[in-house]
Amino acid sequence: MQGDTEIHVQQAPSGFELDGPTRVMIDAAPVVRSKEALVHLPVGMDWWLLATVFGLATMGVVMAYSASVYLAVDKFGGNEVFFLTRHLRYIVVGFVALMFGLHFPYQAWRKLAYPMLGVVIALLILTLLVGETRNRATRWLLIAGISFQPSEIGKFFFITYLACSLSKKAMTNSIRTFHLGLLPHFIVWALVFGLCMKQPDLGTGLVLGVLLFTMTFMAGARIAYLLFFGMGGSAVLMTFLINDPMRSKRLMAFLEPLAHRSATAYQLFNGKLAVATGGLFGQGLGASRQKLGFIPEAHTDFVLSVIGEELGVIGIALIAFAFVFLAYRGLRIALHARCEFGRLLAMGIVVLVSAQAAINFGVVLGLLPTKGLTLPFVSYGGSSLMVMSLSMGVLLNIGRGGRADFSWPDVGASQFAGRDRRPSNARVMQRHTTETRVSP
């Protein structure tokens, strides 16, 4: 060795253990990895997160019955429990999906990411060709007597695709480039977004756009590139809104709900009226009047308005707190994930649930134009409940370390040794660096 060489050794901040490998970087030379690496510890089984999901699902059962009684009696021969019975079946399917996600090692989703994304794209195309049309939207596909929405399934597998691709690029630092770090993912999003818009399903396209922006940011993409695509995407969105007559009417109804309350803003106006009628403590469970035919889709997209009328602002605040708490527990799991793929996968799931809940809140409260997005775990609907439950199971599995049992292997296991964990925009853990002078 000629002369002195600066060696920077990254050390864990206080409160974290160095379970093995310390990452060593030598100036003006390739990264040199020791046999051990700095890792996070798993958080274990998050019972608080699981309890929050069960609490929201329980609220969903109660409100699915309360909000759908009038519609069930009116359309299904007086069978007031028609929607309740179906929703209970969806709850069972959702529970099975959650258990599967909880016990299926999350690392295996990496291998399924690309094939399942292709399957989802094929299903979206098939939906446009032979799908069911309801309320002027072709979003449902009937296979073997089972009706489902491929766009809902696409949300989860779009996350797995991004987590898989971005984690690979983050390890090689190609995430910082335009043609490798951002462009391929934008092209995939544009393809899925275009298929969703043909249904039409603007809400799902927007959620996928939020996922693309946040996950690439967390992986370490350059902010300048993200801003460029963000402005470009906004321009494309405004073009869709202006050129589509229905979207234009909904936008005008959002801006002037009173002027359009008997037509385009009928659902929005009555939903806001229900919340206003509920006041602070509500009219009482089952006492909503707006659900008696005044609010279309009261048990699905606008179930929050029925909650506001029957349980008041207190009920809405409790639901909002539950989602905030769920996001906090999910971020805690993501920041303790053992690998980059797990961290991005967990972050994507948290963003999916949080963004969809926030958009639903915004629509019902009149802060956003009307979208066809359900309130996770609370709204009636099989496809959404199954996908959200599966996502929560995967998130819990990441917290447990990706194993079916509660044990954790030796941290020095060979499959994790020597991994280059490059810093990214999502790192909130402060790294302390010490410099050591090495002489020949």
Side-chain angles (χ1 to χ4, degrees), residues 12 14-15 28 33 58-59 98 101 121 142 154 181 194 231 255 263 287 304 307 311 347 393:
S14 58
R33 304 181 184 89
T58 302
M59 174 64 76
L98 189 147
I121 293 175
L142 184 63
M231 291 186 292
L255 296 175
L304 187 66
I307 294 176
L311 304 180
M347 287 283 191

Side-chain angles (χ1 to χ4, degrees), residues 11-17 38 429-432:
Q11 297 179 343
S14 58
F16 287 83
E17 291 185 4
L38 178 65
M429 183 181 67
Q430 181 182 7
R431 284 183 168 84
H432 302 276

Side-chain angles (χ1 to χ4, degrees), residues 67-387:
S68 66
V69 168
Y70 173 81
L71 183 63
V73 171
D74 182 53
K75 289 192 173 183
F76 297 98
N79 183 9
E80 64 179 25
V81 296
F82 176 82
F83 290 105
L84 174 63
T85 304
R86 291 171 67 94
H87 191 70
L88 288 175
R89 294 174 186 171
Y90 298 151
I91 287 289
V92 173
V93 174
F95 179 78
V96 173
L98 189 147
M99 289 295 105
F100 175 78
L102 178 60
H103 292 281
F104 186 71
Y106 75 87
Q107 296 93 340
W109 292 109
R110 184 197 296 266
K111 296 181 179 180
L112 297 174
Y114 290 97
M116 292 309 300
L117 179 66
V119 170
V120 166
I121 293 175
L123 289 175
L124 289 174
I125 296 174
L126 189 62
T127 301
L128 296 177
L129 298 176
V130 296
E132 294 184 59
T133 300
R134 305 175 189 173
N135 298 327
R136 294 177 295 182
T138 308
R139 302 176 185 174
W140 292 264
L141 193 62
L142 184 63
I143 297 180
I146 300 175
S147 180
F148 65 97
Q149 289 183 260
S151 59
E152 292 291 338
I153 302 174
K155 295 174 184 177
F156 175 75
F157 286 109
F158 186 71
I159 293 174
T160 59
Y161 155 73
L162 286 179
C164 177
S165 179
L166 292 173
S167 62
K168 293 177 181 178
K169 291 175 172 59
M171 293 301 176
T172 60
N173 215 28
S174 60
I175 188 65
R176 306 289 292 177
T177 64
F178 177 82
H179 64 288
L180 292 177
L182 194 59
L183 186 59
H185 311 107
F186 181 82
I187 292 174
V188 172
W189 171 79
L191 174 61
V192 179
F193 178 79
L195 292 173
C196 289
M197 288 301 298
K198 292 292 291 183
Q199 295 182 356
D201 188 0
L202 178 60
T204 296
L206 289 178
V207 170
L208 296 181
V210 172
L211 286 169
L212 174 66
F213 188 89
T214 54
M215 291 184 68
T216 49
F217 172 77
M218 293 167 188
R222 293 185 183 276
I223 297 179
Y225 296 156
L226 293 175
L227 291 177
F228 172 77
F229 273 112
M231 291 186 292
S234 300
V236 172
L237 177 60
M238 290 305 299
T239 302
F240 272 110
L241 292 177
I242 294 174
N243 294 331
D244 189 329
M246 178 54 67
R247 301 295 174 191
S248 299
K249 290 181 180 179
R250 287 190 175 184
L251 182 59
M252 293 304 299
F254 165 71
L255 296 175
E256 299 179 358
L258 289 177
H260 301 83
R261 63 181 181 272
S262 60
T264 312
Y266 181 80
Q267 185 183 39
L268 175 62
F269 177 81
N270 285 284
K272 293 173 66 176
L273 183 61
V275 175
T277 304
L280 184 62
F281 298 104
Q283 301 295 316
L285 189 62
S288 170
R289 296 181 180 179
Q290 294 300 314
K291 69 183 181 183
L292 303 178
F294 296 102
I295 304 178
E297 309 297 334
H299 59 305
T300 56
D301 301 348
F302 269 69
V303 69
L304 187 66
S305 63
V306 180
I307 294 176
E309 186 176 7
E310 296 186 352
L311 304 180
V313 175
I314 299 298
I316 293 179
L318 289 175
I319 297 293
F321 174 78
F323 281 109
V324 171
F325 185 71
L326 186 150
Y328 161 71
R329 302 301 296 190
L331 288 175
R332 180 172 175 266
I333 290 175
L335 294 175
H336 288 78
R338 187 150 196 177
C339 64
E340 190 74 0
F341 173 74
R343 184 179 67 87
L344 289 173
L345 184 59
M347 287 283 191
I349 291 172
V350 172
V351 171
L352 170 63
V353 178
S354 303
Q356 186 156 326
I359 293 175
N360 185 275
F361 267 75
V363 168
V364 172
L365 299 179
L367 303 176
L368 292 172
T370 306
K371 301 285 186 300
L373 286 177
T374 58
L375 185 62
F377 307 108
V378 181
S379 294
Y380 172 87
S383 299
S384 175
L385 184 59
M386 183 191 71
V387 171

